Amino acid sequence: PDQPHAMHARSVILLGFLAGASAFLSGPAPVAFGRTGRMALSQKLHMSTVPKVPYDGAAVTGPSGPTVPGDGDLDFLEAKPYWDQSGVTVNVAKQKNPHIGKIVSVQRMVGPNAPGETCNIIIDHDGKLPYWEGQSYGVIPPGIDPKRNKPYGVRLYSIASTRYGDDKTGKTTTLCVRRATYWCPELKADDPAKKGVCSNYLCDSKPGDEVKLTGPSGKVMLMPEDDVTQTYIMVATGTGIAPFRSFLRRLFGEANPAQKNFQGLAWLFLGVANKDALLYDEEFQVYLRQNPDKMRLDYALSREGPLNKKGGKMYIQDKVEEYADEVFDALDKGAHIYFCGLKGMMPGIQDMLKDVCKAKGLDFEEYLEGIKKKGQWHVEVY
């Protein structure tokens, strides 16, 4: 009963842009979209395996380590049919009446040479805050905001686990949090007075600590699972990997209906500073080995990778421009394009798209308005 109807092959391009600028390593040759393109990609991957980036970071273990579907079904949190999003809930818990969750574990997940610290944080919500892949939780840090002399407000974090949680109980969630610090040029050290309140609160938390949660929030980043031939292209920098990690775990790491029916392609680009800063690499490598015809993985290391065509560091817009023909072709065929992260990333992206439109003889504003009207343009920046 949950087998979705066959729809025309279409593509979904998801771009997650978060803290820091990153460069992308040169990937395999461009591929076409759709069933024929997917077949060519499958053959290409079998012929030459995507090179593995040596990983010197800190592997995430326990329930957050690599997981495989296994036997049996994992479907107790599915809609009927499973792709029906009409029942997706938002704001079950609000700031005035937050849900009290408990920290299960906090684990550093980057190596010693990574810039900054990023933690994998599991929180027990006791099944009281159900969510879908692509949604976010709000966290309310304790204390008074000295600027407003009022309690701190909600900080939003994209969820990095599937609705079942990394332990598959349906009672936990996982956040991928980078500790926000401020380097003071006068002190020549981090200034503790200007550190990120909520990120440091979460990264410093201990198992058993209570945490105030709100949400879930957002419907912009939900996966359109009604077409099992869907192609997902996910581009993330840093902790922008969070929602896409939940996508890949749902598609390849659990015995849920989406995993059982998926016949499409999940293509992930992840940009970080160096190999020590890679996030969830050990997990993604497992999925890639087990699903060579359904997954593609390209890493970008801005401080260790090649330069862009102008001789500078390869930023996100530069890499997207390399695949501009495929991106525009996919949009012409009904693809959805998603942007998530710092709003400061968007000007470079839009400037690049304007240049591509000009080269193609298209009016950018008119083109953008067209795909917006068709519901193909999704932006969630802050």
Side-chain angles (χ1 to χ4, degrees):
D2 282 357
Q3 177 63 41
H5 58 281
M7 297 176 64
H8 65 283
R10 55 186 183 179
S11 305
V12 178
I13 303 175
L14 305 100
L15 306 179
F17 307 106
L18 287 181
S22 301
F24 287 87
L25 295 177
S26 297
V31 296
F33 290 85
R35 289 190 176 89
T36 55
R38 186 154 36 246
M39 186 177 299
L41 174 61
S42 174
Q43 294 170 350
K44 187 184 296 293
L45 286 174
H46 282 298
M47 291 170 59
S48 59
T49 305
V50 175
K52 174 179 171 61
V53 174
Y55 180 62
D56 296 337
V60 178
T61 58
S64 288
T67 179
V68 294
D71 299 325
D73 296 320
L74 187 65
D75 58 7
F76 64 90
L77 292 178
E78 301 297 327
K80 301 293 183 181
Y82 75 84
W83 66 86
D84 182 3
Q85 299 176 357
S86 61
V88 176
T89 58
V90 295
N91 300 323
V92 174
K94 300 180 180 180
Q95 184 169 355
K96 292 184 178 180
N97 187 27
H99 175 71
I100 306 301
K102 287 190 176 182
I103 299 293
V104 175
S105 64
V106 178
Q107 184 177 0
R108 179 186 171 97
M109 57 185 301
V110 292
N113 295 319
E117 179 181 32
T118 301
C119 294
N120 184 84
I121 303 172
I122 301 179
I123 302 174
D124 183 352
H125 60 80
D126 197 32
K128 302 294 178 59
L129 283 185
Y131 57 88
W132 283 49
E133 297 74 23
Q135 289 193 295
S136 301
Y137 266 1
V139 176
I140 305 175
I144 301 297
D145 184 346
K147 295 181 180 180
R148 303 184 304 128
N149 198 30
K150 294 181 180 180
Y152 284 111
V154 175
R155 269 67 166 179
L156 292 178
Y157 292 92
S158 295
I159 295 172
S161 54
T162 73
R163 67 195 70 183
Y164 296 100
D166 288 355
D167 59 2
K168 302 182 183 180
T169 65
K171 296 183 178 181
T172 66
T173 192
T174 299
L175 304 181
C176 177
V177 180
R178 177 169 175 171
R179 185 188 295 272
T181 58
Y182 171 77
W183 176 264
C184 178
E186 294 181 0
L187 297 175
K188 294 184 178 180
D190 287 336
D191 185 348
K194 297 181 180 180
K195 66 182 182 181
V197 173
C198 198
S199 64
N200 281 271
Y201 160 64
L202 288 171
C203 291
D204 289 336
S205 61
K206 307 296 181 185
D209 287 355
E210 293 186 343
V211 57
K212 295 179 180 179
L213 302 173
T214 66
S217 63
K219 294 184 179 182
V220 174
M221 298 291 284
L222 298 179
M223 297 175 68
E225 296 177 334
D226 53 343
D227 179 5
V228 299
T229 66
Q230 198 71 261
T231 294
Y232 300 92
I233 298 182
M234 301 157 280
V235 183
T237 63
T239 56
I241 192 63
F244 307 135
R245 190 259 188 171
S246 75
F247 289 6
L248 293 175
R249 206 165 173 99
R250 179 162 174 81
L251 294 174
F252 303 123
E254 299 175 345
N256 60 64
Q259 182 272 331
K260 291 177 181 293
N261 288 309
F262 185 57
Q263 301 170 21
L265 172 68
W267 184 2
L268 172 66
F269 291 87
L270 172 60
V272 293
N274 54 36
K275 59 181 180 293
D276 258 21
L278 285 172
L279 304 173
Y280 303 108
D281 174 64
E282 65 284 354
E283 181 171 333
F284 298 153
Q285 295 292 342
V286 169
Y287 300 155
L288 180 62
R289 288 196 301 271
Q290 294 188 338
N291 304 275
D293 59 338
K294 295 181 181 179
M295 182 176 171
R296 181 172 171 179
L297 178 63
D298 286 288
Y299 282 146
L301 310 179
S302 62
R303 300 183 186 179
E304 299 176 359
L307 303 177
N308 63 25
K309 64 182 183 180
K310 296 180 180 179
K313 290 185 177 180
M314 180 86 74
Y315 295 116
I316 290 172
Q317 60 267 30
D318 301 317
K319 189 59 181 181
V320 175
E321 186 176 11
E322 288 188 6
Y323 293 91
D325 287 341
E326 289 103 305
V327 170
F328 275 69
D329 183 55
L331 289 170
D332 290 342
K333 296 177 180 177
H336 290 236
I337 188 165
Y338 292 69
F339 302 90
C340 176
L342 298 173
K343 61 183 179 182
M345 305 295 289
M346 290 305 294
I349 291 292
Q350 294 205 347
D351 287 345
M352 178 275 295
L353 293 175
K354 288 179 182 178
D355 291 342
V356 174
C357 279
K358 183 177 181 181
K360 291 179 175 291
L362 301 172
D363 180 273
F364 172 71
E365 299 299 336
E366 182 179 321
Y367 180 82
L368 181 59
E369 185 63 26
I371 59 177
K372 281 183 177 180
K373 285 184 177 181
K374 296 176 183 177
Q376 296 173 250
W377 181 266
H378 307 265
V379 178
E380 187 176 79
V381 295
Y382 41 87

